[in-house]
Amino acid sequence: MKLQPTDIVILLSLIVAFAQISLGFVLTPLSSSWSLYLSEERPHPVLQRSSLESPTAFWAKSGFLGDDEDDEDEDDEDDDDDDDDMALSSARRYSGVTSPFTGMKLDPWDPNPLIKPRPSRIFKDDLGNTANVKDEDLVQTMSSDERKENLQVMRQIRKSDLPDLRMRKDHAGWVEANNDLKRRYQKDPWFGINERLRDAIQLGEPEEKIQYLQDLAQRLGGPPPGLDIGPKGYAVHTEIYDIGISPTRASSMLEREIREDRAARGRAMMAERRKNQEKEQRQYEEDMRNPGLREDREAKERRERTMRRLMEEIDADNKKKRERAKEILGKIPETPESRTKAMEKALKEAREEVKKMRKKQLSEGDSRKSFASDDDDDDDDEDRPKSGADRAREAAAAAGGRPRLPGDEDVTRGELSPDLVVQSSSSTVTGPLEVQVTSVYNKEQSDPPMRKHCFQYTIRITNNSPSETIQLLGRRFEIQTVGSSMKDVVQGEGVTGRTPVLKPGEVFEYTSTAPLSVRPIGTTIIAARMRGEYRYIVLAPGQQTASPEQVQAGGEAKAELGTFHFIFPEDQRVKPFRTEEAEEDEEEDDDDDDDETSSSRRPSSAPSTSTSPPSVASTLPGDRDMKVGDIAVPLNDSSETITEDVRVQVTSSYRPERSEEALGKHCFAYNIRITNESNKPIQLVSRRFEIQTIGSSSKDVVQGPGVTGRQPILKPGESFEYTSTAPLSVRPMLDKTPVVARMQGEYNFVRLSDDATTPVSSAPLQAKLAMFHFILPQPV
């Protein structure tokens, strides 16, 4: 069937009409022509058209052709009109409106509109905000009690209420409490000024602005009662709300301090290590340049020290003999013809005394009776002054102490043989037992200023027998400290309170301590020498322990504890102060034996070691005010004076941790600083102190070479400082005065040339140590 053009037009018109009827309200809701057209009831135009009219004319006459385009144009115009009306209305509505926060004009069509910022230090909320109030208008409206109560409530809210509401997840209550806290904070204007003052001080604002804010805060009444701002001038958040340091912060602070301490110790160890390496390198280079020079110099120093010690002892003995002879005979006997004969006589007497002590030790019977009989038989010994060994034996016998034996001569002198290997450990095998020992210095239990040094030694005993069982029954040790002429004998049953049984292959090990009262000297690094033995028995097969008879007998065999030494650590040893120029000058003077007096006056930077410790040379009449306790001079625990262009300063302090008041023992520490204010180098050669305790009628005179084992050289402007202790046995007169002792003295110096080695004059100059007192602290 072939369609005509008119049929196609009619079909298309029907389709368009159906689509308009179905979708007209949705697609073009604003088209008034189509809405009106659809609302009218009329017969279908196709059915009424005249057969004479053409389809095109019919549709044109009915108004269908062109309506779509006209309606769409009308819709567009209406939309434009509506948009223009809305834009005009919006422009009228928002014209001149600006943001209250930034001052900018509001744009309703901006895709990123401005929002209200959250309250902060810059954008304050309206809860009692006083930021816009001028400084001159700020007034404190609350009384002191009201401010105190307000601060207490703020702290309660901040420390208790807010955390509690947060834990209960009560958001509304938390917001209300937080707003109440802000209102109370703003109610007191001092808090706002405090914030400004804190920022000004932390940011380094000008001093005028800081002073202005401080005056303003003071005008507002200062901080509320109960709030301490401290020396910094302002209060921080934690102080206002009384918030303590958190555990996390405390832990971090502790860790930081630990790291800093470790870093400091590491740096100190590295510096000490570099120092030791440099010292070893210098010593090695010197040994390579001059082989054997160091050994010769050390031998020379030992000879000189020995000669000085012997001569001092001889002079002291001769003085006592002359005084005793003058007291008995009324005249002074003739002295030896020369010092050489005096020294030979002293050496002979010393050898005879050693032989005599050894014979007495080997003889049978009671040692005390033997000493008494020898003294009775030898009338000459009664007039001779008692030696140090005699005094030590008498003191031990009177105190009922442990037995003592004559000591080793090298340890007594402090001069060990160069061929002797000094070790802090030993290992000895005796029969089936092997005894090993190691020793270390116990720094924690030592007190060097009081000459108390503690060593710790560990002993390991191994039973190497393949079949025998051994039981230890007792021990016996011999300990000799350096400088002492006697050995202390320590013996007893068992080991550490037990009698251990060692089966084949078993080991017994224990650790003990040896507290020694000894002072380091420059000729050796050891503090003491120790050896000993263990007594044991071999148990019979099936025997579990020793019988009472075996215990009473003390054992049938002995296992030796090999000789070992307690060695001072590096920081406790005496370090010599010597220069190469001084050593060369001394070597040049070796051949000049006749000029002994002048060489003894010659300054040397070698230390005056503890082999010649300061001694109480004599006593002098004391001051009367110290005897009766009525001090006639102003009380002072420090002094300062200048003599011969040498300034001597001293300060003293009480050491309660080293004192025992119940026993009348009081320890003081005094620090002395010596400054050379002249234009020439000087060297300190000796000292002399006078000390008088309260209630005493005499002064003790203490003198000796150098200070703290040294004879320092001070160039112009240089200072030497040291600290020493004064342990005093005295009963204070607290009802009259807190003073327990008075001290004064002098230092002897020699002037040196510009090379700081050659003395300018043999006459020594004296620098006074002005009088000061050892004063007990007043009870609080």
Side-chain angles (χ1 to χ4, degrees):
M1 177 178 179
K2 185 175 182 181
L3 296 175
Q4 296 298 326
T6 57
D7 298 332
I8 296 174
V9 173
I10 293 172
L11 181 60
L12 294 175
S13 298
L14 292 174
I15 294 172
V16 171
F18 180 76
Q20 294 291 343
I21 292 171
S22 302
L23 305 176
F25 289 97
V26 178
L27 298 176
T28 57
L30 301 178
S31 178
S32 59
S33 59
W34 279 101
S35 301
L36 181 61
Y37 177 77
L38 295 174
S39 64
E40 295 178 356
E41 294 183 0
R42 63 185 69 176
H44 199 282
V46 179
L47 301 178
Q48 295 182 354
R49 74 179 179 86
S50 174
S51 60
L52 298 178
E53 292 178 340
S54 63
T56 304
F58 171 77
W59 291 110
K61 182 178 178 181
S62 62
F64 282 96
L65 293 179
D67 278 350
D68 294 337
E69 296 177 0
D70 295 339
D71 290 340
E72 291 177 0
D73 294 338
E74 290 176 2
D75 293 340
D76 294 338
E77 292 175 1
D78 293 339
D79 293 339
D80 294 339
D81 293 339
D82 293 340
D83 293 342
D84 293 340
D85 293 340
M86 292 176 66
L88 180 60
S89 176
S90 300
R92 291 173 181 174
R93 185 183 308 161
Y94 293 101
S95 61
V97 179
T98 59
S99 170
F101 311 108
T102 63
M104 300 174 61
K105 289 184 178 182
L106 294 176
D107 186 0
W109 304 106
D110 189 357
N112 299 315
L114 297 173
I115 61 175
K116 181 180 179 180
R118 296 183 64 182
S120 65
R121 292 178 59 185
I122 299 177
F123 297 101
K124 305 287 185 179
D125 56 3
D126 296 333
L127 299 174
N129 188 8
T130 60
N132 297 326
V133 180
K134 297 182 179 179
D135 292 345
E136 55 269 17
D137 297 336
L138 290 175
V139 179
Q140 182 60 261
T141 60
M142 295 189 296
S143 64
S144 178
D145 294 338
E146 291 175 346
R147 296 182 69 196
K148 181 178 180 180
E149 182 180 0
N150 183 59
L151 178 62
Q152 293 176 353
V153 175
M154 289 172 58
R155 290 177 174 177
Q156 173 68 22
I157 294 174
R158 178 63 180 81
K159 295 171 60 177
S160 301
D161 296 349
L162 291 179
D164 182 63
L165 292 170
R166 184 182 294 109
M167 292 179 60
R168 291 189 292 170
K169 298 184 179 180
D170 185 359
H171 181 69
W174 187 92
V175 172
E176 182 179 355
N178 191 44
N179 291 338
D180 185 23
L181 177 64
K182 293 179 180 178
R183 282 191 293 269
R184 291 182 177 276
Y185 189 86
Q186 296 294 340
K187 189 176 180 180
D188 191 343
W190 180 86
F191 290 110
I193 301 302
N194 177 70
E195 289 187 5
R196 294 169 56 187
L197 179 60
R198 179 193 62 198
D199 295 341
I201 294 176
Q202 292 180 351
L203 296 176
E205 297 288 346
E207 188 66 26
E208 294 80 7
K209 182 176 181 180
I210 296 176
Q211 186 63 38
Y212 167 74
L213 293 174
Q214 290 177 346
D215 296 341
L216 182 58
Q218 194 66 27
R219 184 167 63 84
L220 295 175
L227 177 59
D228 185 13
I229 61 177
K232 58 182 176 297
Y234 60 87
V236 296
H237 178 80
T238 56
E239 294 174 344
I240 294 175
Y241 295 108
D242 193 19
I243 301 174
I245 186 172
S246 64
T248 304
R249 181 174 177 83
S251 178
S252 62
M253 293 173 62
L254 180 61
E255 291 178 357
R256 182 172 67 253
E257 292 180 358
I258 292 175
R259 289 195 298 268
E260 292 176 354
D261 181 65
R262 289 177 179 174
R265 284 186 294 169
R267 289 191 294 269
M269 292 174 61
M270 292 300 297
E272 186 68 20
R273 182 178 179 183
R274 287 193 297 268
K275 181 179 178 181
N276 293 336
Q277 290 177 347
E278 293 175 357
K279 180 180 179 181
E280 292 176 357
Q281 181 64 23
R282 290 194 301 268
Q283 189 64 52
Y284 173 76
E285 293 176 356
E286 181 181 357
D287 293 341
M288 294 299 293
R289 289 193 303 267
N290 303 305
L293 178 61
R294 180 162 58 94
E295 291 79 3
D296 296 341
R297 184 168 60 248
E298 293 176 353
K300 176 188 172 185
E301 293 174 2
R302 288 195 298 270
R303 290 194 300 271
E304 292 177 352
R305 284 193 297 269
T306 302
M307 291 295 297
R308 285 196 297 268
R309 184 176 68 252
L310 290 175
M311 296 309 299
E312 290 174 358
E313 293 177 356
I314 293 172
D315 292 340
D317 291 341
N318 290 336
K319 182 178 179 181
K320 293 179 181 179
K321 290 181 178 179
R322 284 195 297 269
E323 293 176 354
R324 185 172 178 81
K326 184 177 181 181
E327 180 182 353
I328 297 175
L329 303 177
K331 64 177 182 179
I332 300 177
E334 297 180 0
T335 58
E337 298 177 359
S338 65
R339 291 190 175 184
T340 303
K341 293 182 178 180
M343 186 176 64
E344 291 177 353
K345 181 179 179 181
L347 292 176
K348 182 179 179 181
E349 292 177 354
R351 286 193 294 267
E352 292 177 354
E353 183 181 3
V354 171
K355 293 178 180 179
K356 183 178 179 180
M357 286 190 299
R358 289 178 178 176
K359 290 179 180 179
K360 292 177 182 179
Q361 184 64 32
L362 296 176
S363 63
E364 298 181 355
D366 184 70
S367 60
R368 297 182 185 177
K369 295 180 180 179
S370 160
F371 286 136
S373 63
D374 290 338
D375 292 337
D376 294 338
D377 294 339
D378 192 355
D379 297 334
D380 296 336
D381 291 343
E382 294 179 357
D383 297 334
R384 187 177 60 188
K386 295 181 181 179
S387 64
D390 294 333
R391 290 193 296 269
R393 285 192 297 270
E394 291 179 0
R402 59 172 64 110
R404 310 188 76 189
L405 296 175
D408 299 333
E409 186 177 356
D410 56 345
V411 178
T412 302
R413 295 197 315 267
E415 300 175 356
L416 305 185
S417 173
D419 299 332
L420 177 64
V421 179
V422 179
Q423 294 182 347
S424 61
S425 61
S426 68
S427 178
T428 307
V429 178
T430 308
L433 292 184
E434 179 181 3
V435 181
Q436 299 171 305
V437 60
T438 58
S439 63
V440 293
Y441 185 74
N442 192 334
K443 185 176 181 181
E444 289 74 14
Q445 299 183 10
S446 299
D447 192 0
M450 300 298 291
R451 303 182 186 178
K452 295 181 180 179
H453 300 272
C454 185
F455 291 85
Q456 181 175 303
Y457 60 94
T458 301
I459 294 181
R460 180 184 178 91
I461 304 175
T462 306
N463 183 6
N464 295 326
S465 174
S467 59
E468 295 178 343
T469 300
I470 293 174
Q471 183 175 10
L472 301 177
L473 298 181
R475 70 196 184 282
R476 181 181 182 276
F477 299 150
E478 297 177 3
I479 305 175
Q480 180 184 3
T481 56
V482 67
S484 174
S485 61
M486 303 295 291
K487 296 180 182 178
D488 290 325
V489 179
V490 180
Q491 55 188 357
E493 296 182 359
V495 181
T496 65
R498 294 174 290 174
T499 54
V501 177
L502 302 180
K503 296 181 180 180
E506 288 187 346
V507 176
F508 176 74
E509 182 175 328
Y510 72 96
T511 300
S512 185
T513 57
L516 305 177
S517 178
V518 62
R519 184 174 182 178
I521 62 176
T523 57
T524 182
I525 62 176
I526 72 168
R529 174 181 292 171
M530 178 172 170
R531 64 169 63 93
E533 61 186 22
Y534 291 92
R535 299 188 304 275
Y536 68 92
I537 63 169
V538 178
L539 299 178
Q543 185 180 3
Q544 298 296 327
T545 183
S547 62
E549 293 77 11
Q550 290 175 324
V551 174
Q552 185 68 25
E556 58 189 19
K558 298 179 181 179
E560 181 182 356
L561 171 65
T563 302
F564 68 98
H565 299 85
F566 295 117
I567 301 177
F568 283 111
E570 185 69 26
D571 57 346
Q572 296 296 334
R573 302 174 187 173
V574 176
K575 301 178 177 60
F577 277 65
R578 297 183 65 84
T579 60
E580 295 182 358
E581 293 82 358
E583 293 169 355
E584 292 175 358
D585 293 340
E586 289 182 359
E587 291 173 359
E588 292 175 359
D589 295 340
D590 283 343
D591 297 334
D592 190 3
D593 296 335
D594 297 333
D595 195 12
E596 184 177 356
T597 303
S598 62
S599 65
S600 63
R601 295 179 180 177
R602 180 181 172 278
S604 171
S605 56
S608 176
T609 62
S610 59
T611 56
S612 299
S615 60
V616 179
S618 60
T619 58
L620 297 175
D623 300 331
R624 185 180 182 280
D625 59 343
M626 287 291 294
K627 179 181 178 181
V628 299
D630 296 329
I631 306 301
V633 297
L635 302 185
N636 63 322
D637 58 357
S638 62
S639 67
E640 179 178 353
T641 185
I642 300 178
T643 312
E644 299 286 349
D645 294 330
V646 178
R647 182 186 299 271
V648 181
Q649 301 166 283
V650 59
T651 58
S652 64
S653 60
Y654 185 61
R655 303 297 297 272
E657 70 277 4
R658 298 180 182 175
S659 303
E660 296 182 11
E661 297 183 4
L663 301 178
K665 296 182 179 180
H666 300 274
C667 183
F668 290 83
Y670 59 93
N671 180 271
I672 294 182
R673 181 180 180 89
I674 304 172
T675 305
N676 180 14
E677 297 185 355
S678 67
N679 56 1
K680 291 289 186 180
I682 61 175
Q683 183 177 20
L684 191 153
V685 294
S686 64
R687 69 194 184 282
R688 181 181 180 274
F689 298 151
E690 298 178 3
I691 304 176
Q692 181 181 3
T693 55
I694 194 74
S696 175
S697 61
S698 61
K699 299 179 182 179
D700 291 331
V701 180
V702 180
Q703 56 188 356
V707 288
T708 65
R710 289 177 284 182
Q711 294 178 329
I713 295 176
L714 303 180
K715 296 181 180 179
E718 289 186 344
S719 299
F720 175 77
E721 185 173 355
Y722 73 96
T723 300
S724 186
T725 56
L728 304 174
S729 296
V730 59
R731 295 292 181 181
M733 299 181 180
L734 297 179
D735 56 336
K736 294 184 178 181
T737 179
V739 174
V740 296
R742 174 183 292 171
M743 179 173 171
Q744 59 188 354
E746 60 191 23
Y747 293 93
N748 293 322
F749 293 85
V750 293
R751 296 192 185 276
L752 305 179
S753 60
D754 295 336
D755 59 0
T757 57
T758 306
V760 176
S761 173
S762 60
L765 59 91
Q766 290 184 346
K768 296 294 184 181
L769 171 64
M771 179 189 299
F772 68 99
H773 298 86
F774 294 119
I775 303 175
L776 289 175
Q778 296 295 332
V780 180

